[in-house]
Amino acid sequence: MLSIKNLHAGVEEKEILKGLNLEVKPGEVHAIMGPNGAGKSSLASVLSGRPNYEVTQGSVTLDGKDLLDMSPEDRAREGVFLAFQYPIEIPGVSNINFLKTAMNEIRTYKGLEPLSAKEFLALSRERQKLVEFDAKLVNRSLNEGFSGGEKKRNEIFQLAMLEPKLAILDETDSGLDIDALRIVSRGVNKLRSDKNAFIIITHYQRLLDYIVPDFVHVLSDGKIVKTGDKNLALELEEKGYDWIREEAIH
Amino acid sequence: MENSTDFLEEIAGKEYEHGFVTDIEMDILPPGLNEETIHFISKKKNEPEWLLEWRLKAFRAFQKMELPSWQNFKMPEMDFQAISYYAAPKQKVKYESLDQVDPELLETFKKLGIPLSEQKTLAGVAVDAVFDSVSVATTYKEELKKLGIIFCSFGEAVQEHPELVKKYLGTVVPHSDNVFAALNAAVFSDGSFVYIPPGVRSPMELSTYFRINAANTGQFERTLIIADKDAYVSYLEGCTAPMRDEHQLHAAVVEIVALDNAEVKYSTVQNWYPGDKDGKGGVYNFVTKRGICKGANAHISWTQVETGSAITWKYPSVILQGDNSYGEFYSVAVTKGKQIADTGTKMYHLGANTRSRIISKGISAGNGQNSYRGLVQIGAKAANARNFTQCDSMLIGDRCGAHTFPYIESKNNTATLEHEATTSKIGEDQIFYLNARGIDTEKAVELIVNGFAKEVLNKLPMEFAVEAQKLLAISLEGSVG
Ligand SMILES: Nc1ncnc2c1ncn2[C@@H]1O[C@H](COP(=O)(O)OP(=O)(O)OP(=O)(O)O)[C@@H](O)[C@H]1O
Ligand SMILES: [Mg+2]
C-alpha cells in the first residue's frame, strides 16, 4: 500500500530524514518509536504534505500513485490521514460542520454523492459511539478550548468518520488518561481491517499492549535503524535507545 | 503545495463578477454641478417647490463644507464637477407593469441574480430596482398596498405621498449633516420609500437593488423608512457596479424613523466594484445611514456585509430617543487588494433604559485596511443605559491592517458599558490542518471566515445569509496562496 524508498527530506536546508525506507501492506500496523528529534513527526509531515518540508531525494507511493506529487488535500482524499501530535484550534468553525465539509470533499473526489444531512448525522452518531466521543464536543468549535486529551480523542473521532486507507497517529497516546488510552485503542482496533493500515508513532510501549503492532521500527537520526516485532518495544522500554545507536554505528 | 513564503501572501484578486456594462440608451446630464443642475433634476422629477428649496438649501450648505479629514485614510481628491448627476434609461421611466421595462434592463438584473418578475422572485421578497438614477421596478406593490404598506421609489413617494415625505425627510439626517449627506440632499435622484402603518407587520422582506451603470455618473440615492407605532419591517439593500477604470462616487443617505414599539431591521449586502488589485477604479462609497428610535420601546437593527468598494466610509447609527429603545449594529467588512474600509456605528443614548449592541467583524487580506470606528454616547437623561461592543479583526497575510477606534462619551454614571476586542490571523497551520482533512485552501478560508463572521451572518434574513456567505467566499478567493 505505502512504499517509501530512500526518502531524504528537510526544512530550510536542514536535512531531517536521511534515506528512510518503509513498506506498509494492507491490514498491517506499524509502530514507529525513537528518540526526541529523530524525525518521526517530520515523516508524518512529509507524508501528509505539510508546507515547508522539502523532499530532496527518494519516492513515496500509495497504491502505486506518487504521493509526493499531490497536494495535501488530494493525499487526504486518496486516503491518507494524519492524527496530529498537536491538533489545531479553529474558532468559529463547528466540529461537525468541518467534518461534514471534509467528508463531502472526499466523497466528491471519489465521485460519490455527498451524504444527506440525515445520513451524515446517523453516521456521526454511530462513530461517536464507536470511539466513545463526547456528544457535547461534536457541536463545539473545532478543538477550541478542548483539553489536550479531548483534542486527541477528536482526532480519533475524525479518523473513525473519514475511514482512511492509511492512518498515521503521531503520539496520539500522549496526553490521554488511562481510560482514554484504552477507549482510543479499542476504537482503533475496531477500525482495523484487512484493507487499511496504521502507522503509530509513540514513545510508550504501553499503547502497544492495546494496539498490537505487526512491526516495531526504531527511527533515529532520520533513518529506520532497527525493525522487529512487538517484543522490540519491550526491549526498548527496558534498555532505552543507546544500544541501538551503538549498533547502528558499528 | 505552494512555496511557503507565498502561502499567506499571494493576492490574486478574483475577477469581479458583476463588472459588465449594460448597453442601453440613456438620458445623461453632462458633468457639472451648480444650482441649474439642481433645478434640472428637480424639474425632471416634477417635484414640488418645497423640495426644490430644500435641495438648494442643502447645495448652499455643501458649497461651504470641507471633505472630512478625521478618517483613517487619506481622502482622495474628488472633482465634483466631473460627475454627471443624472442618468436614466431613455425609455419612459414610470412603468405600469414589468412588461414595459426594457428587456435589456430586465436582463441586467437577471444577470445579477435579481429576478424582477414576481413569479420568479424569491418567495416573500419584494424588490425595488434602481438603475443609475432611477427606480425601474418595484415588485409586489399591490399586495403590500392591501395592508396599507407603501413601498415605492422615492420619486413616486414625492408625487403620491408628499405629506409623509415632507414630514420626515431630513429629520434624521439633516440636509447639512456632513458634506456627502449635503451633496446627496442637493442632487439625489431616486431611492426607496417605505411606510408601514400602525400595527402592521410587513409579511415579506422589502428589498432594494442598486446598480450604477453609466460611466462618470455618481449614484446618490436616498431611502426613507418610517415604521409607525407597533409596526415591523425587515428591509434589505444590495448593490453592484460595472468595472470601470475611473472611480465612481456613491453618496447615499438612509433615514429610518421608528415610532413607539416599532421595529426596523435594515440589512445591507454591499458589493460595489472594489477596483482592480492595484487600486485602479472602484466605487467610493461615502454613505450616511441613521435611524431614530423616536418612540418608547422602538428597535432599530443595522446589519451590513461590506465586501465591495474601493473606499467604504459609513457609520450606520441609531438615535435612542424613546425610553427603553434598542439599537443594534452587526457588521462584516472585508478589505483586500487596495481596498479601504472605515466603518462602524454611533449609538446615541438619550432616553432612559436604552440599550445598544455592536458586533463588528473586520476581515483584511492583501493590502486591505480595515478600521472600526464607533461612538457610544450616553446623554445626561439616559439612566441605566447599556452598551455592549465587540470588535473582532481577522488578518489574512502580512500586508493588511486592522484598526479599531472605539469612542465613549458618557454624561450619566448609571450607564453600563462593555467592550471586547480581539485580533486573529488565519494561520498556515489552520489551513494545513483543514487541507489534511481533504479540504482545499479556498474552501478552508471560506470555512474559517464564515465561522468568524457567523454571529453577523445569522442576523441576515435567511435567503440572504446564504448569498452573503458565498459572497464572502468569492471576495476572498485567491487571498490565500
Ligand atoms: N520547521 C522546522 N525548522 C527547523 N527544524 C525543524 C523544523 N521542524 C522540525 N525540525 C527539527 O527536525 C528534527 C526532527 O523533528 P521531529 O518533530 O520530526 O522529531 P520527532 O521525532 O517527532 O520528535 P518528538 O519525539 O520529540 O516528537 C528536530 O531536530 C527538530 O528540531
Ligand atoms: Mg514528534
Side-chain angles (χ1 to χ4, degrees):
Chain A
M1 173 188 287
L2 179 74
S3 174
I4 304 175
K5 292 206 171 83
N6 189 33
L7 182 63
H8 289 256
V11 184
E12 294 161 14
E13 314 284 289
K14 177 181 151 79
E15 185 164 66
I16 300 171
L17 300 180
K18 303 171 181 171
L20 189 141
N21 295 290
L22 184 67
E23 292 289 328
V24 178
K25 297 199 180 63
E28 290 178 351
V29 173
H30 291 243
I32 294 183
M33 305 182 80
N36 293 132
K40 302 180 297 296
S41 293
S42 299
L43 172 63
S45 295
V46 170
L47 293 179
S48 55
R50 185 188 284 275
N52 296 355
Y53 279 85
E54 203 186 333
V55 174
T56 47
Q57 249 190 83
S59 68
V60 180
T61 58
L62 182 76
D63 288 334
K65 286 187 200 164
D66 182 358
L67 202 63
L68 300 177
D69 209 30
M70 294 179 204
S71 65
E73 57 271 23
D74 278 350
R75 299 181 196 202
R77 293 162 183 171
E78 287 286 345
V80 176
F81 180 95
L82 169 62
F84 283 57
Q85 183 172 1
Y86 304 108
I88 306 298
E89 301 194 5
I90 306 191
V93 177
S94 87
N95 207 356
I96 193 76
N97 187 25
F98 147 74
L99 258 177
K100 193 169 166 206
T101 308
M103 177 161 272
N104 286 335
E105 291 290 298
I106 293 170
R107 289 181 67 90
T108 306
Y109 179 82
K110 291 179 175 161
L112 300 169
E113 289 286 305
L115 286 184
S116 72
K118 205 175 146 204
E119 290 167 317
F120 176 77
L121 231 71
L123 183 71
S124 159
R125 288 229 182 78
E126 186 212 316
R127 296 299 148 94
Q128 278 168 53
K129 227 179 253 147
L130 187 78
V131 298
E132 297 180 47
F133 189 65
D134 189 344
K136 282 200 290 289
L137 297 178
V138 173
N139 292 310
R140 289 225 332 235
S141 281
L142 181 50
N143 292 329
E144 192 190 21
F146 283 27
S147 75
E150 286 170 342
K151 284 181 185 165
K152 295 299 182 71
R153 294 184 64 169
N154 195 20
E155 296 292 290
I156 299 303
F157 173 54
Q158 293 173 30
L159 168 72
M161 287 295 286
L162 300 177
E163 298 182 309
K165 233 189 256 182
L166 174 71
I168 306 159
L169 275 53
D170 191 359
E171 293 197 29
T172 301
D173 54 336
S174 20
L176 289 182
D177 66 40
I178 302 156
D179 290 335
L181 183 67
R182 212 172 297 142
I183 292 164
V184 162
S185 309
R186 212 183 296 147
V188 169
N189 285 331
K190 282 184 216 160
L191 294 167
R192 278 175 81 165
S193 80
D194 56 4
K195 295 201 177 52
N196 60 24
F198 287 80
I199 294 176
I200 295 179
I201 298 170
T202 181
H203 285 296
Y204 305 107
Q205 187 277 330
R206 193 184 50 196
L207 174 71
L208 306 179
D209 283 341
Y210 296 113
I211 308 173
V212 181
D214 301 294
F215 301 92
V216 174
H217 309 278
V218 177
L219 203 165
S220 177
D221 195 23
K223 281 194 287 274
I224 286 179
V225 293
K226 193 169 183 70
T227 295
D229 62 10
K230 61 182 184 201
N231 293 316
L232 177 57
L234 285 167
E235 206 174 340
L236 290 170
E237 183 90 352
E238 201 179 311
K239 299 204 265 183
Y241 291 113
D242 281 351
W243 63 280
I244 296 181
R245 284 191 196 148
E246 302 269 302
E247 253 186 34
I249 294 166
H250 299 298
Chain B
M1 198 69 222
E2 295 79 359
N3 187 324
S4 69
T5 46
D6 302 338
F7 189 69
L8 291 173
E9 274 285 305
E10 184 196 320
I11 301 300
K14 139 112 185 165
E15 290 279 309
Y16 181 72
E17 262 195 307
H18 306 295
F20 58 88
V21 178
T22 303
D23 194 8
I24 205 163
E25 269 206 285
M26 299 289 290
D27 246 345
I28 298 181
L29 194 64
L33 178 60
N34 51 40
E35 294 210 356
E36 260 166 68
T37 322
I38 292 157
H39 280 277
F40 174 89
I41 295 170
S42 190
K43 189 158 176 221
K44 197 90 187 159
K45 306 198 71 75
N46 190 28
E47 287 175 351
E49 190 62 25
W50 64 265
L51 189 48
L52 174 62
E53 284 309 318
W54 191 74
R55 285 177 181 277
L56 290 169
K57 207 165 60 177
F59 179 62
R60 286 166 203 144
F62 166 76
Q63 286 176 306
K64 296 196 198 90
M65 294 167 102
E66 302 273 336
L67 291 175
S69 57
W70 42 260
Q71 67 283 344
N72 191 33
F73 59 88
K74 193 172 168 296
M75 184 63 75
E77 304 233 332
M78 281 189 206
D79 182 358
F80 293 108
Q81 296 302 333
I83 297 171
S84 161
Y85 289 87
Y86 188 83
K90 217 165 207 162
Q91 233 186 27
K92 202 164 151 10
V93 293
K94 186 108 183 351
Y95 303 102
E96 294 310 317
S97 82
L98 282 168
D99 307 339
Q100 300 170 4
V101 179
D102 187 324
E104 184 87 22
L105 250 180
L106 284 180
E107 194 53 36
T108 299
F109 282 99
K110 213 168 107 194
K111 260 201 242 174
L112 295 167
I114 309 297
L116 289 180
S117 66
E118 296 188 355
Q119 315 83 291
K120 290 189 215 123
T121 304
L122 288 165
V125 181
V127 180
D128 182 27
V130 177
F131 191 81
D132 288 329
S133 301
V134 296
S135 167
V136 293
T138 309
T139 62
Y140 283 112
K141 222 164 160 168
E142 288 310 307
E143 218 170 307
L144 293 166
K145 210 170 176 176
K146 285 183 203 134
L147 295 164
I149 295 175
I150 304 167
F151 176 39
C152 62
S153 71
F154 204 98
E156 240 174 296
V158 169
Q159 301 304 318
E160 282 159 36
H161 310 280
E163 67 302 335
L164 279 174
V165 176
K166 195 171 177 182
K167 183 168 174 193
Y168 290 106
L169 178 69
T171 60
V172 195
V173 179
H175 70 276
S176 57
D177 188 80
N178 67 69
V179 62
F180 297 104
L183 177 63
N184 175 288
V187 303
F188 77 92
S189 39
D190 216 332
S192 295
F193 178 85
V194 175
Y195 173 77
I196 316 286
V200 172
R201 291 181 65 84
S202 175
M204 57 181 84
E205 306 281 341
L206 304 187
S207 152
T208 298
Y209 201 83
F210 296 105
R211 171 87 179 159
I212 300 179
N213 189 63
N216 302 319
T217 54
Q219 182 143 333
F220 306 95
E221 81 275 359
R222 193 159 186 114
T223 300
L224 178 55
I225 299 174
I226 302 135
D228 215 317
K229 291 178 181 171
D230 302 299
Y232 165 83
V233 65
S234 167
Y235 184 91
L236 186 117
E237 162 205 305
C239 36
T240 57
M243 294 196 270
R244 294 192 184 281
D245 288 347
E246 324 80 47
H247 295 286
Q248 285 173 292
L249 178 63
H250 174 245
V253 170
V254 177
E255 297 181 277
I256 299 176
V257 179
L259 301 184
D260 290 356
N261 301 312
E263 178 178 356
V264 179
K265 281 183 68 173
Y266 192 106
S267 312
T268 305
V269 177
Q270 186 266 109
N271 185 26
W272 295 117
Y273 178 52
D276 72 5
K277 62 180 192 315
D278 302 319
K280 194 165 188 205
V283 170
Y284 288 153
N285 190 35
F286 288 76
V287 169
T288 307
K289 293 181 169 181
R290 193 176 301 146
I292 181 164
C293 289
K294 229 176 154 63
N297 305 310
H299 179 183
I300 292 175
S301 174
W302 298 102
T303 304
Q304 60 175 26
V305 176
E306 306 279 324
T307 60
S309 297
I311 299 176
T312 296
W313 178 98
K314 71 184 259 207
Y315 315 91
S317 310
V318 185
I319 302 168
L320 298 155
Q321 190 182 73
D323 289 347
N324 307 314
S325 58
Y326 183 30
E328 292 176 288
F329 174 75
Y330 296 93
S331 170
V332 179
V334 178
T335 52
K336 66 161 188 187
K338 292 260 158 68
Q339 275 179 286
I340 294 167
D342 193 304
T343 183
T345 184
K346 296 176 195 165
M347 295 288 175
Y348 303 95
H349 292 254
L350 304 180
N353 304 313
T354 45
R355 288 175 302 143
S356 61
R357 183 175 169 84
I358 298 169
I359 307 287
S360 161
K361 306 272 180 178
I363 301 164
S364 318
N367 292 307
Q369 294 295 325
N370 217 319
S371 299
Y372 166 80
R373 184 181 302 280
L375 170 65
V376 177
Q377 203 179 63
I378 314 284
K381 290 182 189 146
N384 304 314
R386 301 177 80 94
N387 164 265
F388 175 78
T389 299
Q390 181 170 333
C391 301
D392 298 324
S393 309
M394 176 169 268
L395 302 173
I396 305 176
D398 294 324
R399 285 174 289 128
C400 52
H403 320 271
T404 53
F405 305 94
Y407 299 98
I408 291 171
E409 295 168 10
S410 181
K411 295 203 180 104
N412 190 310
N413 55 18
T414 61
T416 313
L417 303 160
E418 283 176 83
H419 183 94
E420 289 173 13
T422 66
T423 301
S424 56
K425 216 169 163 173
I426 296 193
E428 202 175 306
D429 51 352
Q430 291 180 321
I431 302 280
F432 175 63
Y433 188 65
L434 298 176
N435 288 160
R437 296 295 177 258
I439 300 168
D440 65 29
T441 299
E442 212 99 292
K443 196 102 193 183
V445 172
E446 184 181 333
L447 263 181
I448 295 172
V449 165
N450 280 320
F452 173 72
K454 196 160 57 184
E455 198 179 345
V456 173
L457 297 177
N458 285 346
K459 292 287 164 185
L460 287 174
M462 260 281 273
E463 302 86 331
F464 299 104
V466 180
E467 290 300 310
Q469 270 189 25
K470 275 192 222 145
L471 187 60
L472 277 188
I474 290 169
S475 63
L476 285 169
E477 230 164 73
S479 290
V480 179

